[in-house]
Amino acid sequence: MTELTPSEVVALFGLDEKRVRKDVEYDVFERGKGPPRFALAEVVYLFAFARLGLDLGVEDRKKVYRLIVAALAERTPPKSIEIGSYFEVKLASVVRDVEDRVERFAKWKKKLVTRGDILGGETVFPNSRLAVRQSARWRDAVRS
């Protein structure tokens, strides 16, 4: 899976941008410096956590993230991981959903056009002069 930017993850999975940025700020992913990019484990964590609907503290969020990373690193990842005595994450389902969305996004993204003779090299939708950046601004305006 290619790594995604925070904006791509937020748009693709309908996540709360502030929550994603807070997890980066509080170093839940233990990634160090540089612009944040999300691989499979990070996206699975963010997507699963958003569906959980709970607001845990930073240390607990880090623990859940580490459990997901460890499970995904196994030769054959488990179908689910236990979070506590009564809670589990259906890891296989989350991974399947994440990979499916990312694959569809990658196919869509390949269709975008970036040429120097169209809008000064800005990325546009095929057969148009509509900049992708502009559509994101419209989306943000509608949300506010």
Side-chain angles (χ1 to χ4, degrees):
M1 180 181 113
T2 60
E3 292 189 334
L4 302 172
T5 66
S7 297
E8 289 172 332
V9 171
V10 166
L12 246 165
F13 295 96
L15 302 178
D16 177 18
E17 186 173 6
K18 288 180 184 178
R19 178 79 263 162
V20 172
R21 300 243 179 240
K22 284 291 183 189
D23 280 349
V24 171
E25 179 184 336
Y26 292 135
D27 202 28
V28 168
F29 308 113
E30 302 164 347
R31 294 185 58 92
K33 301 292 181 207
R37 294 288 184 268
F38 301 119
L40 180 63
E42 289 89 5
V43 178
V44 165
Y45 160 82
L46 290 165
F47 187 55
F49 223 92
R51 296 302 182 261
L52 182 60
L54 295 176
D55 191 21
L56 300 177
V58 174
E59 290 307 312
D60 289 329
R61 293 176 79 86
K62 286 181 179 184
K63 286 177 190 174
V64 171
Y65 171 69
R66 286 193 289 265
L67 286 171
I68 290 172
V69 169
L72 290 175
E74 291 181 25
R75 184 179 187 110
T76 306
K79 292 185 189 278
S80 64
I81 55 173
E82 194 172 290
I83 301 298
S85 298
Y86 299 104
F87 296 100
E88 69 179 22
V89 173
K90 295 179 182 177
L91 190 62
S93 297
V94 178
V95 169
R96 187 175 44 254
D97 290 347
V98 165
E99 288 178 335
D100 180 54
R101 284 191 194 197
V102 170
E103 182 181 324
R104 286 185 285 137
F105 173 67
K107 287 179 183 176
W108 172 82
K109 199 172 175 180
K110 284 181 182 178
K111 294 178 183 178
L112 299 177
V113 178
T114 305
R115 289 188 8 208
D117 61 332
I118 301 175
L119 288 180
E122 217 172 312
T123 303
V124 298
F125 293 100
N127 302 316
S128 77
R129 292 176 129 353
L130 177 60
V132 172
R133 177 184 48 80
Q134 185 61 41
S135 67
R137 283 187 187 158
W138 292 335
R139 182 203 67 213
D140 293 342
V142 169
R143 285 184 180 173
S144 21

